[in-house]
Amino acid sequence: MHALSGHYEREHAMNGHPARTNPAVPLHPNEFDRRRIARALENRKRYRYVTPEVQTWERGYLIRSSCCSRNIDPEGGVIDIAKLEFHNERHCWWLYHKDHEIDHWIRQGEFLNLADILDLLNQDPDRRFWQ
């Protein structure tokens, strides 16, 4: 196996291209992309003074952070920011934001690649994630 093949496979998967012949083997979560997401969040426009956590779950990644604004948690505890769910069979991502009033995840959209999600999370023009 070529040393770059694993990286190539991940890049194709992140961009919505089928990279594996066995659809039963999930591409996500993986440590490479978890770290990629964490690094990308360092460039966000809102709440730059907190350090978000990127955790894995069975279908993707969960982003959590301290609630500095105190809008959601007056005590400043750790709250859910976003959930990224990879659909292996469709080769796409679903991005969710948390509606804290009803304690429910709301699907924000479907994306073909991880880069578009990271751009949206970092810009967050509608303040759906970094509240």
Side-chain angles (χ1 to χ4, degrees):
M1 179 183 274
H2 189 275
L4 293 177
S5 65
H7 176 73
Y8 174 81
E9 188 173 315
R10 284 189 292 274
E11 276 302 313
H12 262 339
M14 289 183 291
N15 291 320
H17 303 290
R20 295 187 179 171
T21 55
N22 184 355
V25 177
L27 297 170
H28 298 280
N30 63 68
E31 186 61 18
F32 176 84
D33 290 314
R34 188 194 68 75
R35 288 182 185 183
R36 179 181 178 212
I37 294 165
R39 275 192 311 274
L41 292 175
E42 293 172 4
N43 297 318
R44 69 190 179 281
K45 293 197 175 215
R46 301 188 193 288
Y47 300 113
R48 294 187 44 93
Y49 39 86
V50 296
T51 303
E53 305 170 6
V54 180
Q55 303 170 345
T56 60
W57 64 286
E58 69 182 57
R59 295 192 45 112
Y61 308 91
L62 177 65
I63 300 169
R64 305 187 80 222
S65 182
S66 299
C67 181
C68 295
S69 70
R70 313 283 178 155
N71 291 334
I72 307 302
D73 182 349
E75 302 297 317
V78 176
I79 62 167
D80 294 326
I81 302 296
K83 183 167 72 166
L84 291 72
E85 181 177 356
F86 186 72
H87 289 265
N88 211 34
E89 64 284 352
R90 295 173 51 125
H91 306 288
C92 69
W93 291 92
W94 286 2
L95 173 63
Y96 299 84
H97 73 272
K98 186 76 172 263
D99 184 326
H100 294 280
E101 287 183 23
I102 62 172
D103 195 32
H104 190 72
W105 289 104
I106 308 294
R107 192 168 84 174
Q108 181 71 25
E110 184 172 298
F111 299 81
L112 293 178
N113 62 63
L114 188 54
D116 289 343
I117 290 174
L118 296 175
D119 284 344
L120 179 61
L121 286 172
N122 282 338
Q123 299 301 317
D124 193 18
D126 299 326
R127 295 186 65 131
R128 293 194 188 271
F129 302 100
W130 304 100
Q131 303 174 27

